[in-house]
């Protein structure tokens, strides 16, 4: 589409829409006003305002995980991008496709070194697979089409397009038609026979990640396990895992390093399919970083960017499992109704009882949630989203993106109080968009995971100053008035009966509902 009167910003919006980008999570500034104006008068793009850029980038991550296509973000210059970097890091590790539109000073203004001038490309590169600065209004449309194409490259990539304000306001913009997505990378066909032979009995492991964790791919993995006798595990953190009654269950490589070492110790042969060979999250004095047994045979059949469905299908054929009934199909299992104080086991049981059919569970429960996985295995069918990058503040923003992508599905956000404070502004966006999200804030009033890590790195008997740096109790965070101030209904619970009732209320509420769970 060519129009001599179309400016660069208008060509950008038309191109994004033509390439299937229909949502923009925004936090604009002065240099992006022409893009804002274009979003205003060109129909088709849903704009969701975030009060902090980490909310916008995290929401784009959640949207891709559930919609299977990229959204865009709108960020203001280098500092705005920098505010969003943490959740772009998480999105990159999750294999999520995101198109960042980052405003820049007009080309004539950069040389003046105004206060907001920065090296935007330098900030973007560590959290992007593709970075480009548009040089004129005539190239913006083509640049945008290529950014979307890059973002859609399997399993999903971060594309950052920097838009100088003069390229946005100058006329001569040209909207660009959709570019064909690239095919996924092939899996390692030359390793297929070796992988099939390696999966032989309980000392062999098929380790899954990424798109291998869809319902249909898990079913094929279950067939392979039934035929070969191998064990199944997934990575500790998964961008999207289909779980619940009737689906093939897969355990996760544990986070605590000593437990992970014990779990992985039996396996002499490990086939990787969408997963990396297991390593520790951190280094610890006197402990190994590689979690597999010494001398284990590691066979990398398919990386995260490969066609994992094709790889599993071929592996099923090679092992003779294509028509074998799958192993590890989960039976429906609802825990008994809980009463009394909220222990971690009781909390897991209440969540298992209340997960609705086809729910999306966004998990940033960190230490509190380590018992959730086994307890919820037999719950109603649901989708579970983990933080793949380890940078906290992911849960509330990802819940926004998931709810925007799937308005017909219930979203449950399970978030620690320390993590939630990083992107607490997400509550405001949830209320503004009336998103169907039930939020459980686990209020242990500390960075509990760091207390454990203090011990893990060998610090014995930490003193009051160390403990104080890991505590959130001076003053205690008050989540009910905080949520109310941003338009979100909320309550506080201290026992299991009240918790289950509150979750039921939240799930019956059309908009967001927050529950402060006192632990």
């Amino acid at each position: 589409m060519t129009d001599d009167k179309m400016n660069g910003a208008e060509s950008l919006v038309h191109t994004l829409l033509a390439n299937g980008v229909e949502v923009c999570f925004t936090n604009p500034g002065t240099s992006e006003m022409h893009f804002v104006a274009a979003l205003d008068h060109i129909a088709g793009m849903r704009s969701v305002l975030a009060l902090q850029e980490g909310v916008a980038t995290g929401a784009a991550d959640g949207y891709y995980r559930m919609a299977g296509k990229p959204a865009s973000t709108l960020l203001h210059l280098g500092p705005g991008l920098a505010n969003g970097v943490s959740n772009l890091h998480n999105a990159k590790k999750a294999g999520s496709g995101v198109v960042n539109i980052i405003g820049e000073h007009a080309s004539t203004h950069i040389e003046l070194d105004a206060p907001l001038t920065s090296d935007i490309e330098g900030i973007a590169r560590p959290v992007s697979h593709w970075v480009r600065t548009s040089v004129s209004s005539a190239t913006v449309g083509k640049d945008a089409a290529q950014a979307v194409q890059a973002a859609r490259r399997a399993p999903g990539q971060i594309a950052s397009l920097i838009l100088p304000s003069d390229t946005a306001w100058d006329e001569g913009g040209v909207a660009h038609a959709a570019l064909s997505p690239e095919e996924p990378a092939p899996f390692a066909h030359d390793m297929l026979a070796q992988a099939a032979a390696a999966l032989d009995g309980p000392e062999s492991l098929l380790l899954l990640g990424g798109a291998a964790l869809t319902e249909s791919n898990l079913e094929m993995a279950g067939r392979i396990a039934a035929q070969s006798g191998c064990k199944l595990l997934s990575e500790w953190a998964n961008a999207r895992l289909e779980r619940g009654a009737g689906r093939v269950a897969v355990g996760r490589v544990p986070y605590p390093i000593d437990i992970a070492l014990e779990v992985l110790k039996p396996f002499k042969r490990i086939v990787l399919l969408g997963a990396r060979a297991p390593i520790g999250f951190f280094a610890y004095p006197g402990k190994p970083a590689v979690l597999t047994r010494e001398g284990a045979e590691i066979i990398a059949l398919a990386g995260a960017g490969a066609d994992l469905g094709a790889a599993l299908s071929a592996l099923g054929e090679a092992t003779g499992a294509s028509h074998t009934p799958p192993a590890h199909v989960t039976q429906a299992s609802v825990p008994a109704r809980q009463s009394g104080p909220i222990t971690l086991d009781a909390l897991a049981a209440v969540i298992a009882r209340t997960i609705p059919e086809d729910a999306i569970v966004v998990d940033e429960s960190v230490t509190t949630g380590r018992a959730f996985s086994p307890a919820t295995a037999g719950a109603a069918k649901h989708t579970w989203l983990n933080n793949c990058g380890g940078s906290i503040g992911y849960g509330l923003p990802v819940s926004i993106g998931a709810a925007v992508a799937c308005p017909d599905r219930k979203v449950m956000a399970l978030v620690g109080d320390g993590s939630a404070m990083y992107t607490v502004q997400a509550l405001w966006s949830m209320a503004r968009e009336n998103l169907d999200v039930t939020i459980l804030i686990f209020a242990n009033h500390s960075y509990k995971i760091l207390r454990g890590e203090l011990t893990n790195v060998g610090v014995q008997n930490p003193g009051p100053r160390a403990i104080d740096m890991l505590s959130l109790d001076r003053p205690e965070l008050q989540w009910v008035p905080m949520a109310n101030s941003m338009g979100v209904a909320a309550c506080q619970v201290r026992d299991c009966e009240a918790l289950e009732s509150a979750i039921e209320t939240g799930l019956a509420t059309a908009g967001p509902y927050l529950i402060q769970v006192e632990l």
Side-chain angles (χ1 to χ4, degrees):
M1 181 190 302
T2 303
D3 184 343
D4 290 340
K5 294 184 180 179
M6 182 189 300
N7 65 29
E10 291 164 334
S11 73
L12 174 56
V13 176
H14 282 300
T15 298
L16 292 174
L17 290 170
N19 283 266
V21 179
E22 301 166 334
V23 177
C24 185
F25 297 102
T26 74
N27 188 278
T30 303
S31 55
E32 297 83 50
M33 285 299 101
H34 285 81
F35 187 52
V36 170
L39 290 171
D40 179 53
H41 70 258
I42 298 171
M45 182 75 73
R46 179 176 179 179
S47 297
V48 177
L49 179 60
L51 299 185
Q52 205 265 1
E53 292 86 349
V55 176
T57 54
D61 178 8
Y63 181 88
Y64 183 85
R65 296 194 199 195
M66 297 311 305
K69 61 181 183 179
S72 60
T73 67
L74 178 56
L75 309 173
H76 182 46
L77 298 163
L81 169 61
N83 283 341
V85 158
S86 178
N87 273 327
L88 286 176
H89 164 84
N90 289 332
K92 187 180 183 185
K93 295 291 187 178
S96 290
V98 177
V99 178
N100 296 310
I101 308 300
I102 307 159
E104 170 63 293
H105 288 306
S107 55
T108 55
H109 202 70
I110 293 174
E111 64 189 33
L112 302 178
D113 195 24
L116 279 167
T117 303
S118 63
D119 178 7
I120 300 178
E121 288 194 3
I123 298 169
R125 283 193 188 96
V127 291
S128 305
H129 300 85
W130 183 99
V131 178
R132 180 175 300 169
T133 300
S134 290
V135 296
S136 76
S137 60
T139 68
V140 169
K142 182 179 179 181
D143 294 339
Q146 291 179 350
V148 178
Q149 185 184 49
R152 294 174 68 185
R153 186 172 299 134
Q157 296 194 147
I158 310 299
S160 294
L161 177 60
I162 300 162
L163 187 70
S165 53
D166 51 345
T167 68
W169 71 51
D170 282 349
E171 293 183 350
V174 181
H176 205 284
L179 296 175
S180 298
E182 296 182 9
E183 293 295 322
F187 67 90
H189 291 266
D190 58 329
M191 303 293 288
L192 182 59
Q194 183 181 351
L199 295 177
D200 180 21
E203 292 182 334
S204 60
L205 171 66
L206 180 56
L207 183 60
L208 306 170
L213 301 173
T214 65
E215 184 171 11
S216 60
N217 284 341
L218 283 172
E219 182 175 320
M220 180 55 75
R223 295 181 192 277
I224 294 167
Q227 180 70 20
S228 70
C230 76
K231 301 297 184 182
L232 300 178
L233 284 174
S234 80
E235 295 181 297
W236 161 251
N238 300 296
R240 177 173 177 172
L241 171 62
E242 302 301 332
R243 307 178 73 241
R247 290 173 170 163
V248 169
V250 56
R252 296 156 62 195
V253 173
Y255 173 90
I257 193 163
D258 293 327
I259 300 174
L261 288 166
E262 284 301 309
V263 166
L264 293 169
K265 187 185 202 177
F267 302 120
K268 296 179 179 178
R269 301 171 301 281
I270 300 175
V271 174
L272 305 178
L273 209 151
R276 298 175 60 201
I279 58 170
F281 218 79
F282 297 104
Y284 298 101
K287 295 184 180 182
V290 175
L291 303 182
T292 50
R293 64 184 285 169
E294 188 175 350
E297 180 185 10
I298 309 292
I299 301 164
L301 181 60
D307 186 338
L308 300 185
L312 271 166
S313 181
L315 188 59
E317 295 241 352
T319 55
S322 297
H323 304 291
T324 304
H328 310 306
V329 175
T330 309
Q331 301 300 310
S333 175
V334 179
R337 186 177 291 275
Q338 304 294 300
S339 61
I342 302 173
T343 64
L344 296 188
D345 287 340
L347 174 59
V350 172
I351 290 170
R353 288 177 53 81
T354 53
I355 293 175
E357 186 78 18
D358 210 27
I360 301 165
V361 181
V362 181
D363 179 10
E364 194 176 16
S365 50
V366 197
T367 48
T368 302
R370 289 181 185 169
F372 292 171
S373 188
T376 56
K381 286 185 178 181
H382 59 275
T383 301
W384 201 280
L385 312 184
N386 289 126
N387 183 349
C388 297
S391 184
I392 65 175
Y394 120 103
L396 295 178
V398 164
S399 299
I400 291 174
V404 170
C406 301
D408 56 335
R409 298 177 65 175
K410 297 288 182 181
V411 178
M412 295 178 70
L414 314 178
V415 189
D417 51 358
S419 299
M421 282 303 296
Y422 275 66
T423 44
V424 67
Q425 306 91 335
L427 296 174
W428 183 88
S429 296
M430 289 180 188
R432 179 183 174 94
E433 298 293 321
N434 197 36
L435 299 178
D436 194 356
V437 184
T438 300
I439 307 133
L440 277 66
I441 300 293
F442 303 125
N444 57 23
H445 308 289
S446 70
Y447 288 122
K448 189 72 174 289
I449 189 170
L450 296 182
R451 292 197 180 187
E453 293 297 327
L454 204 61
T455 301
N456 289 341
V457 298
V459 177
Q460 303 296 324
N461 302 315
R465 281 185 291 179
I467 294 298
D468 191 55
M469 282 188 277
L470 308 180
S471 301
L472 305 176
D473 58 356
R474 253 183 339 106
E476 285 193 356
L477 298 166
Q478 300 297 321
W479 284 94
V480 173
M482 189 164 13
N484 290 164
S485 74
M486 286 184 270
V488 175
C491 69
Q492 184 179 32
V493 298
R494 298 180 182 275
D495 59 61
C496 290
E497 296 93 338
L499 173 59
E500 184 158 340
S501 176
I503 294 174
E504 290 170 350
T505 298
L507 293 170
T509 301
Y513 189 86
L514 183 143
I515 304 163
Q516 179 176 337
V517 183
E518 287 295 323
L519 299 175

